[in-house]
Amino acid sequence: MDFNNILRLVRENNLDLQDESILKSKEFEEYIKSISKKLYEEYNLEQDKLKLLVDKNSDDISYIKKDAIYINLGSKSIRKEKNNKLELILGYYAHEIGHRLFTDFSNQKIYEKLILSGSLSEDILEFDDEESYENIMKMYKYLNNPKKSGKLCSLLLFIYQIIEDSRVEESIYNYLSNYGRLIEGLNKLRDNQYNSIKSFKIDLVKNKTFNALLNQLICYIKFRTFKEMEDYHIKNIDKVKIVIDEAIDAEDDIQILNKINKLSIFLWDEIEEYLESFNDVYKEEINIIKPLTSFEIEEDLYKNSQGISNTGKTDTKGEIGKQIKNKKAINEDLRKDLVKSENDEVMEINSDENSQYKSTMAKDKNAINLISSSKEENKNCNNINKENRETFDGVSNNKNSFGKGVMKLRNLKESTEENKNDFKLFSYGAIHKGIKTKVHRPGFTYEDKLNYTRSNKKYIEYANKLAKQVLPFLENEVSSEYSKNRYYGTKFDASNVAKKDFRYFSKKNPPNDSPTMALALRIDESGSMKANNRIEMARATAVLMWEFCKKCNIPIGIYGDTADLNELEDVSIYSYSDFHNLDKNDCYRMMQISPKSNNRDGVPIKYVADKLLDVEADIKVLFIISDGKPLAKPNYKDELAKEDLKSVISEYSRKGINFFVAAIGNDRDVIKDIYGENRFLDMSNINTLPNRISMILKNLV
């Protein structure tokens, strides 16, 4: 099978990855390598060799050795994957590329030598409680015993590798987010790893206490959460979480080692009990005992731990990763001096009414042409707008991805009436004082375009059904002299007072063809939307609404958001379909809707509501899809966040916006509590959604 055939089968989703002849073929290796080719070229690196193994007897999945990346396609992890095997393979590939770029493997060797020599960094002595001080003494006693220190070394190196895995993946998301296929693969790998970790209670049934505890530590290191575990299950839980967070975020290599040492002190009782269940390992020579790492402990840790990858072995020192990070920092500074283009949106935030923060939204005009593999594919590619063609590793924003377009700014003072829609001055209130907000215009891949209709056929049919139900009412509304059921207007309808919804007025229709209705959709893209198919339902709803509005000629804006993605932005807003930046290809952007980090709901809801207010329409409807649990750093949660949301909803309801908040599954009570029962929309069964939306819109008309 040649390369072109493999490329064609991938696009048609017909590549049979159960066929070992394909997996072992040189052409399949070349296809996987082609996905990272642009990445290596961008940083002037010689591309790593790729070795695809099919060894069912080996537990190794992926690793780096010298100048090659090895992926064992016969490993249990890849063999048992049925639905997205190609994505999972790309996930392991992305992970190993991340190690190549961002990991300094010499640190592990230094750490090992330090432990086996019986020494630790002096920073570790900074404790003010008696228990920690006693644990330090116990740990040093263990380190200074050459018959035992090797066992501790094996455990600490294992924890170091897990933290390094997490740091590498965070770096991939932050600095390589425009390599879409690699990001999608990494998402798949992380999903599988998270699902493989059992809950604490289940794990305790089959494993020793320490194994169950270690799996929860792995879960927190990798995903910043525990699985069905109460705080009392881990001693010093708050200190443990803080030191893990600091280790993952640390830039200085020595600090990382210090944090791991601190972690071991907080958990020393459990660690010592575990280590003592294994035989001492050492080598006796003339008048000296040399400590050795414990193969038995290493084997036990890998055997009983879920959600982990091999760190691999190479001589790289992470120098390329440092260059990438520095380049990103320099680019961020340069953006401040650039001139705004016609496709950028400038947003000024004035949270505390003193400080100002400018954010941009750029449309990608530099997408890379897809290299076609046949005349037929060439013909298909030529039909695609050049502005939006993507290569397989092109602009994809499945997670933490911000697109590739040049971000440009324009000073607010230079704005004129002609471009008044290019910016908006917002005051978000005291609770959001000092927050930094950034608006992104996601890109999309060629495959998104190919797969959109096939993946959303059912929802497009639902949109047609909804359009047939609603269009007659919209036509009647346009042709009538007055629009009824308004919050304000020139004519008071006393008969409507009994409804108690304050829509007591009628408004005379203007003598023009401006639309009578505009819709906006705000989607919570926090990490918790991953559970119970929430994000899939949200994406399907976005497709349904976009297709419906297109058929009815209704202006629509679709926006997603997350919070605490990185230090440069507290709130990240994703403009999939924008009222003032219309694009027939917006539907493909929505394929990038995905769960990300936290959610500071008040900011994006206010942003979208202000966008909607600027649209010339008589009826303005804002649909919100959320799990109903606001949570963002440092203190946006619980009653404080709920009151903020209630205030925003109240403010914009008075301005004429009709809010409806959709919930999925067990989020209903939370939604009703925050937004009010009259605004609640049950979308747990998307098959009934067209009828529900139809009733809402009919009542508003």
Side-chain angles (χ1 to χ4, degrees):
M1 180 174 294
D2 62 24
F3 180 84
N4 288 341
N5 281 334
I6 287 179
L7 197 60
R8 178 178 56 79
L9 291 173
V10 168
R11 292 176 183 170
E12 295 173 355
N13 201 26
N14 288 324
L15 188 65
D16 184 7
L17 292 180
Q18 308 302 323
D19 187 345
E20 287 193 11
S21 65
I22 293 177
L23 297 179
K24 293 179 179 179
S25 69
K26 187 68 177 176
E27 290 75 20
F28 186 65
E29 283 187 7
E30 288 302 315
Y31 167 68
I32 299 297
K33 284 183 64 178
S34 71
I35 292 171
S36 67
K37 183 178 180 182
K38 294 291 183 183
L39 171 60
Y40 281 90
E41 288 178 352
E42 182 176 354
Y43 297 107
N44 298 317
L45 287 174
E46 184 176 349
Q47 190 168 18
D48 286 306
K49 298 174 184 175
L50 178 63
K51 303 294 184 182
L52 298 180
L53 312 175
V54 185
D55 185 355
K56 298 179 181 178
N57 298 318
S58 174
D59 293 330
D60 290 336
I61 305 172
S62 65
Y63 53 92
I64 298 175
K65 190 174 181 181
K66 293 185 178 179
D67 60 348
I69 293 175
Y70 291 78
I71 301 177
N72 181 12
L73 305 181
S75 62
K76 184 178 178 181
S77 172
I78 294 178
R79 276 192 290 115
K80 70 180 183 180
E81 176 62 39
K82 301 298 182 183
N83 299 323
N84 295 296
K85 187 170 292 188
L86 180 58
E87 272 194 4
L88 184 58
I89 293 170
L90 291 177
Y92 283 111
Y93 187 46
H95 181 87
E96 297 306 328
I97 291 175
H99 276 306
R100 172 68 80 196
L101 298 178
F102 297 104
T103 295
D104 185 346
F105 286 94
S106 63
N107 289 337
Q108 184 172 329
K109 297 175 183 176
I110 293 171
Y111 195 30
E112 181 177 351
K113 288 180 180 179
L114 276 172
I115 299 170
L116 294 180
S117 65
S119 64
L120 292 173
S121 173
E122 294 302 313
D123 283 16
I124 204 167
L125 299 176
E126 297 178 1
F127 293 99
D128 54 8
D129 61 292
E130 186 175 346
E131 180 186 15
S132 296
Y133 181 77
E134 290 178 357
N135 285 349
I136 291 173
M137 297 299 102
K138 293 177 183 177
M139 187 170 173
Y140 267 113
K141 184 178 179 181
Y142 217 88
L143 278 170
N144 292 323
N145 186 338
K147 294 184 178 181
K148 295 182 180 294
S149 60
K151 296 192 293 184
L152 176 60
C153 182
S154 296
L155 176 59
L156 295 184
L157 288 178
F158 179 82
I159 295 174
Y160 171 84
Q161 290 171 4
I162 303 302
I163 287 178
E164 185 59 26
D165 276 353
S166 180
R167 285 166 48 79
V168 161
E169 290 171 3
E170 288 292 327
S171 296
I172 292 172
Y173 285 132
N174 287 334
Y175 302 104
L176 306 179
S177 57
N178 55 323
Y179 293 94
R181 294 299 302 281
L182 297 178
I183 295 295
E184 290 166 8
L186 188 57
N187 288 338
K188 175 61 181 175
L189 171 60
R190 286 171 63 85
D191 285 344
N192 282 20
Q193 289 178 334
Y194 180 79
N195 293 331
S196 72
I197 299 175
K198 302 180 182 69
S199 73
F200 189 77
K201 297 174 184 177
I202 294 175
D203 219 355
L204 275 176
V205 175
K206 296 183 179 180
N207 296 322
K208 298 176 183 178
T209 303
F210 184 80
N211 294 125
L213 171 62
L214 186 61
N215 278 327
Q216 289 304 311
L217 289 176
I218 292 171
C219 192
Y220 190 82
I221 290 170
K222 294 275 289 185
F223 307 105
R224 306 292 178 100
T225 186
F226 296 112
K227 264 196 174 182
E228 296 183 27
M229 187 186 71
E230 303 296 336
D231 286 357
Y232 63 81
H233 284 135
I234 294 184
K235 188 164 54 176
N236 296 318
I237 182 68
D238 292 330
K239 295 178 181 178
V240 165
K241 289 195 290 188
I242 289 172
V243 78
I244 289 175
D245 291 343
E246 290 175 344
I248 294 172
D249 296 335
E251 290 294 332
D252 183 82
D253 296 329
I254 298 300
Q255 283 298 315
I256 299 169
L257 304 186
N258 286 339
K259 303 305 178 185
I260 297 172
N261 294 336
K262 284 189 176 184
L263 180 65
S264 63
I265 288 173
F266 291 139
L267 301 171
W268 180 251
D269 290 342
E270 293 85 351
I271 288 175
E272 185 176 26
E273 181 183 6
Y274 172 74
L275 295 178
E276 284 302 296
S277 66
F278 295 90
N279 295 324
D280 295 342
V281 183
Y282 56 92
K283 181 180 180 181
E284 291 192 63
E285 296 180 352
I286 300 174
N287 298 326
I288 191 170
I289 297 176
K290 279 190 166 185
L292 299 174
T293 56
S294 172
F295 176 77
E296 187 182 9
I297 288 179
E298 291 173 6
E299 188 177 43
D300 181 77
L301 290 172
Y302 278 100
K303 178 181 178 181
N304 293 300
S305 301
Q306 294 92 34
I308 60 175
S309 306
N310 294 18
T311 303
K313 295 181 180 179
T314 185
D315 295 327
T316 59
K317 296 182 180 294
E319 296 296 334
I320 299 300
K322 294 174 185 176
Q323 293 176 23
I324 293 172
K325 293 177 182 180
N326 290 337
K327 181 179 178 181
K328 177 105 177 202
I330 292 171
N331 287 342
E332 289 293 334
D333 291 337
L334 287 175
R335 287 194 187 113
K336 298 176 183 178
D337 301 321
L338 296 177
V339 180
K340 182 184 178 295
S341 73
E342 63 180 0
N343 289 311
D344 297 337
E345 176 172 328
V346 173
M347 181 174 64
E348 289 224 356
I349 310 299
N350 198 0
S351 304
D352 56 0
E353 298 187 0
N354 291 312
S355 63
Q356 292 183 340
Y357 179 84
K358 292 182 180 179
S359 176
T360 63
M361 178 177 69
K363 186 176 181 181
D364 180 20
K365 287 192 174 182
N366 301 305
I368 305 168
N369 290 338
L370 178 67
I371 301 176
S372 301
S373 60
S374 68
K375 292 182 179 179
E376 180 181 355
E377 287 163 355
N378 260 321
K379 183 177 179 180
N380 291 336
C381 286
N382 289 335
N383 292 330
I384 299 174
N385 189 298
K386 292 181 181 178
E387 183 179 301
N388 297 297
R389 266 189 257 158
E390 308 291 340
T391 188
F392 284 108
D393 60 343
V395 183
S396 174
N397 306 284
N398 202 11
K399 182 167 182 179
N400 296 358
S401 178
F402 311 129
K404 292 175 61 182
V406 178
M407 303 290 189
K408 301 178 180 179
L409 298 177
R410 176 174 56 197
N411 193 301
L412 179 63
K413 294 178 181 178
E414 297 175 359
S415 62
T416 63
E417 184 65 23
E418 183 180 0
N419 51 55
K420 63 181 179 181
N421 288 326
D422 285 341
F423 70 89
K424 190 78 177 178
L425 183 65
F426 296 111
S427 177
Y428 285 133
I431 193 173
H432 304 296
K433 180 179 179 180
I435 62 115
K436 300 183 290 293
T437 299
K438 196 169 186 177
V439 184
H440 306 281
R441 180 69 161 164
F444 60 90
T445 67
Y446 180 43
E447 284 190 293
D448 288 334
K449 194 158 189 174
L450 293 177
N451 293 332
Y452 176 78
T453 304
R454 179 171 55 194
S455 302
N456 298 298
K457 184 176 180 180
K458 178 170 70 171
Y459 311 122
I460 294 173
E461 291 176 355
Y462 287 165
N464 292 334
K465 175 182 176 182
L466 179 59
K468 289 180 181 179
Q469 294 174 345
V470 175
L471 267 175
F473 291 87
L474 293 178
E475 291 170 356
N476 290 338
E477 171 70 0
V478 172
S479 62
S480 63
E481 185 178 357
Y482 282 89
S483 299
K484 300 179 180 180
N485 301 318
R486 298 289 179 265
Y487 288 100
Y488 59 90
T490 56
K491 187 177 180 181
F492 179 76
D493 297 329
S495 60
N496 286 339
V497 175
K499 296 180 181 179
K500 298 182 179 180
D501 61 0
F502 303 105
R503 292 190 278 117
Y504 306 149
F505 297 89
S506 295
K507 179 182 176 184
K508 191 167 185 177
N509 291 327
N512 56 45
D513 296 328
S514 62
T516 62
M517 181 179 292
L519 302 183
L521 181 64
R522 176 262 172 171
I523 298 173
D524 170 8
E525 293 188 72
S526 61
S528 55
M529 288 289 286
K530 179 184 294 185
N532 301 322
N533 293 322
R534 289 184 177 100
I535 203 68
E536 286 78 11
M537 294 282 282
R539 191 186 302 115
T541 303
V543 170
L544 191 158
M545 297 293 288
W546 192 89
E547 292 285 345
F548 159 71
C549 288
K550 181 178 70 171
K551 295 182 184 302
C552 296
N553 199 27
I554 295 174
I556 183 169
I558 298 177
Y559 307 88
D561 60 86
T562 191
D564 305 325
L565 205 56
N566 56 55
E567 294 180 358
L568 298 176
E569 49 194 288
D570 301 303
V571 177
S572 308
I573 298 175
Y574 301 88
S575 176
Y576 296 103
S577 176
D578 186 73
F579 292 115
H580 306 302
N581 195 6
L582 298 178
D583 186 343
K584 65 180 181 180
N585 294 310
D586 283 342
C587 54
Y588 310 127
R589 303 181 199 280
M590 296 185 297
M591 300 292 281
Q592 308 299 338
I593 295 171
S594 63
K596 296 178 178 71
S597 186
N598 292 334
N599 52 308
R600 182 177 284 269
D601 301 63
V603 171
I605 291 176
K606 191 162 188 174
Y607 172 82
V608 176
D610 269 295
K611 280 276 190 179
L612 189 54
L613 284 180
D614 283 343
V615 181
E616 293 185 8
D618 296 324
I619 305 171
K620 300 178 181 182
V621 186
L622 200 168
F623 290 96
I624 297 171
I625 300 178
S626 171
D627 66 357
K629 300 171 185 176
L631 177 64
K633 297 176 183 178
N635 60 349
Y636 192 75
K637 59 182 179 179
D638 302 331
E639 292 303 318
L640 199 64
K642 289 181 181 179
E643 289 304 314
D644 174 55
L645 288 175
K646 290 177 181 178
S647 173
V648 172
I649 299 300
S650 176
E651 174 188 352
Y652 284 89
S653 293
R654 292 194 300 270
K655 293 179 179 179
I657 290 182
N658 302 279
F659 288 91
F660 294 94
V661 187
I664 304 170
N666 57 4
D667 306 322
R668 304 170 189 176
D669 292 339
V670 181
I671 292 292
K672 290 179 181 178
D673 177 48
I674 296 176
Y675 298 97
E677 188 165 358
N678 61 320
R679 296 189 179 94
F680 170 71
L681 173 62
D682 186 355
M683 56 172 288
S684 55
N685 183 357
I686 199 167
N687 296 328
T688 64
L689 191 60
N691 290 334
R692 294 179 182 276
I693 294 177
S694 174
M695 292 183 64
I696 288 173
L697 299 182
K698 288 177 184 177
N699 289 335
L700 291 175
V701 173

